[in-house]
Amino acid sequence: MIEQTFAGRSVLLIIGGGIAAYKSLDLIRRLRERGASVRPVMTAAAAEFVTPLSVGALAADKVFSDLFDREDEHDVGHIRLAREADCIAVAPATADLMAKMANGLANDLATAVLLAADAPILVAPAMNPAMWSHPATQRNRETLEMDGVAFVGPNSGEMAEAGEAGAGRMAEPLEIVAALRDLLDSLPMPLAGKRIVVTSGPTHEPIDPVRYIANRSSGKQGHAVAAALARLGAAVHLVSGPVTIGDPADVEVTHVQTAREMRDAVEALLPADAAVFAAAVADWRAQTEAGEKLKKAGGKGPETLPLTENPDILAGVGNRTKGRPALVIGFAAETEKLLEHGGAKLARKGADYIVANDVSPDSGIGGEGVMGGDRNRIVLLSPDGAAEWPEMSKDEVAERLAALVAERLAE
Ligand code: PMT
């Protein structure tokens, strides 16, 4: 049950050291089944209550816990952990963690991330009722609320300590999910009012009534880009070649078969504020489409198939002098010389950015590889140079590209 609010969203979950940490395992599951990715950070005390192994297995991600781990800091770093999250949940938040947050302490990874964060933060306190009602904790809660931190719970009821009852139980995982939904839904929409055209998928170029020229594109990357842009509030129109995946939510879709149909659909959708060309458009089509199924040559050897070039849709839009979208982003699928060939496309096609990806079998991306698979590793080329992104899911590539579009269109 993927939910639009959570799909493709990244939740940084900070697990504090309390008995309620066991509920965080269920919280991870609930968030992931709704389409969010969960990146866990555990305090040292949290690891006394639940194991990093269980947390990492449920999150399907690395568990971060050490501010001074050279490998973690090199790979991701506490600043990136903080910045890459769409929102942060602190569950359970102990009295100690709340006190550190309220006072801006940053002496471990969890608190350093919280101090560096610009994403919205939700705190789910869990502690003994006497600790919760203590004036110091209540002062810290007020301070945090004044800093814009949202709270869910604590609930009242029996505590883990025998015979103790009162306010201090951590909110249930589904209550935390609901509070995170409210938080995410209340985020400003940086692309509200912007029209964006996205192309995705392959094209099929007919040879005869039963055969066509095609490629292995699944549409996963382009569709993810369209969905991520829509989540930031853009009015997105996706022009999709023939794919087997469903249409993204909140996106208008035109389905086409051929490059020429894709070109006509894109041209009809202009003007737009931005255009992203993720489709793997066939460069050639059969010179003539046979009206009947072609027959074998009857022992005369293989037939040749005369080809003619298809229109270059990206170049047509990128090189426009009138009515060019303010931002034009192309992709480049290469099997060799990624930077050289991608860079040449940047200039030739008039794009502001080229997202270059290696689609060769030895790209190092497992599974079906970049074309067809779920992961990608891209180099973002622009007149300013090349930025290499680490391997990530296509949804994460899309999120980061959507953030770039929002940043550029705000300029
Ligand atoms: O669909 P997936 O399985 O998720 O795979 C994703 C992807 C590999 C298809 C995607 O990440 C990608 O690289 N898309 C571009 C594929 C491609 O056709 O690249 P190209 O180097 O041939 O073309 C360069 C650019 O020109 C692309 O933006 C392409 O959309 C555009 N183009 C190309 C030819 C043409 N006739 N018209 C175009 O608009």
Side-chain angles (χ1 to χ4, degrees):
M1 44 152 160
I2 299 291
E3 275 185 37
Q4 174 65 7
T5 298
F6 290 106
R9 282 304 199 9
S10 156
V11 180
L12 187 84
L13 174 63
I14 295 183
I15 305 177
I19 186 74
Y22 77 92
K23 290 190 196 172
S24 307
L25 300 177
D26 191 35
L27 175 61
I28 296 173
R29 200 171 62 86
R30 304 284 185 178
L31 288 169
R32 290 198 63 219
E33 69 193 11
R34 284 165 174 75
S37 61
V38 179
R39 185 157 255 193
V41 172
M42 293 177 75
T43 63
E48 300 290 331
F49 292 90
V50 286
T51 68
L53 194 64
S54 326
V55 171
L58 282 165
D61 199 350
K62 187 178 162 70
V63 177
F64 296 85
S65 51
D66 188 355
L67 182 57
F68 303 106
D69 183 313
R70 279 175 54 193
E71 204 180 301
D72 285 2
E73 273 302 292
H74 177 263
D75 286 354
V76 186
H78 63 283
I79 301 292
R80 247 185 67 197
L81 270 179
R83 296 288 153 75
E84 286 177 3
D86 290 305
C87 65
I88 299 178
V90 189
T94 58
D96 176 68
L97 201 43
M98 279 179 58
K100 285 178 175 158
M101 285 174 73
N103 289 287
L105 299 189
N107 60 354
D108 63 5
L109 184 65
T111 48
V113 164
L114 285 161
L115 201 59
D118 50 13
I121 299 172
L122 176 76
V123 165
M127 62 197 76
N128 176 278
M131 292 168 83
W132 173 248
S133 58
H134 194 283
T137 305
Q138 290 307 312
R139 261 198 316 275
N140 293 332
R141 178 186 58 77
E142 273 168 34
T143 305
L144 288 169
E145 278 177 345
M146 278 189 308
D147 289 346
V149 171
F151 276 79
V152 57
N155 295 342
S156 293
E158 269 185 37
M159 304 304 294
E161 299 91 339
E164 293 249 11
R169 284 166 61 105
M170 186 169 92
E172 295 305 316
L174 284 179
E175 292 175 294
I176 300 177
V177 167
L180 281 171
R181 186 185 297 115
D182 289 347
L183 200 65
L184 286 167
D185 285 345
S186 68
L187 290 180
M189 295 288 208
L191 287 174
K194 302 293 183 195
R195 274 174 52 83
I196 304 184
V197 177
V198 179
T199 70
S200 180
T203 61
H204 286 181
E205 310 295 333
I207 297 169
D208 66 20
V210 296
R211 302 181 178 100
Y212 54 81
I213 300 170
N215 59 64
R216 295 179 195 279
S217 167
S218 62
K220 287 177 186 172
Q221 185 63 84
H223 281 49
V225 169
L229 291 165
R231 276 196 295 275
L232 295 188
V236 180
H237 202 122
L238 175 67
V239 183
S240 171
V243 294
T244 55
I245 58 175
D247 293 347
D250 295 331
V251 168
E252 257 192 79
V253 186
T254 301
H255 294 277
V256 298
Q257 294 286 322
T258 67
R260 283 175 296 169
E261 286 169 10
M262 188 173 273
R263 187 253 338 255
D264 293 348
V266 167
E267 297 278 341
L269 288 165
L270 298 179
D273 296 288
V276 183
F277 295 87
V281 185
D283 286 318
W284 301 281
R285 64 179 186 276
Q287 213 167 61
T288 48
E289 182 186 342
E292 302 299 336
K293 185 181 169 198
L294 293 175
K295 297 290 177 207
K296 282 189 206 162
K300 281 189 275 159
E303 284 287 355
T304 53
L305 180 68
L307 299 175
T308 187
E309 217 169 299
N310 265 330
D312 192 314
I313 310 167
L314 165 58
V317 174
N319 291 318
R320 273 176 168 223
T321 43
K322 267 195 197 154
R324 181 187 185 276
L327 186 63
V328 175
I329 300 180
F331 274 66
E334 307 295 346
T335 55
E336 52 161 356
K337 300 181 182 159
L338 190 65
L339 297 187
E340 194 183 316
H341 291 166
K345 284 176 186 169
L346 181 72
R348 191 170 75 241
K349 300 193 182 220
D352 299 298
Y353 290 95
I354 285 284
V355 181
N357 41 205
D358 179 353
V359 293
S360 67
D362 42 338
S363 66
I365 305 282
E368 292 165 82
V370 170
M371 253 196 189
D374 294 324
R375 298 185 68 76
N376 204 348
R377 185 174 52 242
I378 68 116
V379 180
L380 187 67
L381 300 169
S382 74
D384 296 335
E388 279 184 44
W389 293 6
E391 183 190 324
M392 57 185 86
S393 71
K394 286 183 176 172
D395 284 339
E396 286 172 304
V397 169
E399 287 291 323
R400 288 180 65 167
L401 270 185
L404 173 78
V405 171
E407 200 180 297
R408 286 295 310 266
L409 290 186
E411 279 166 11

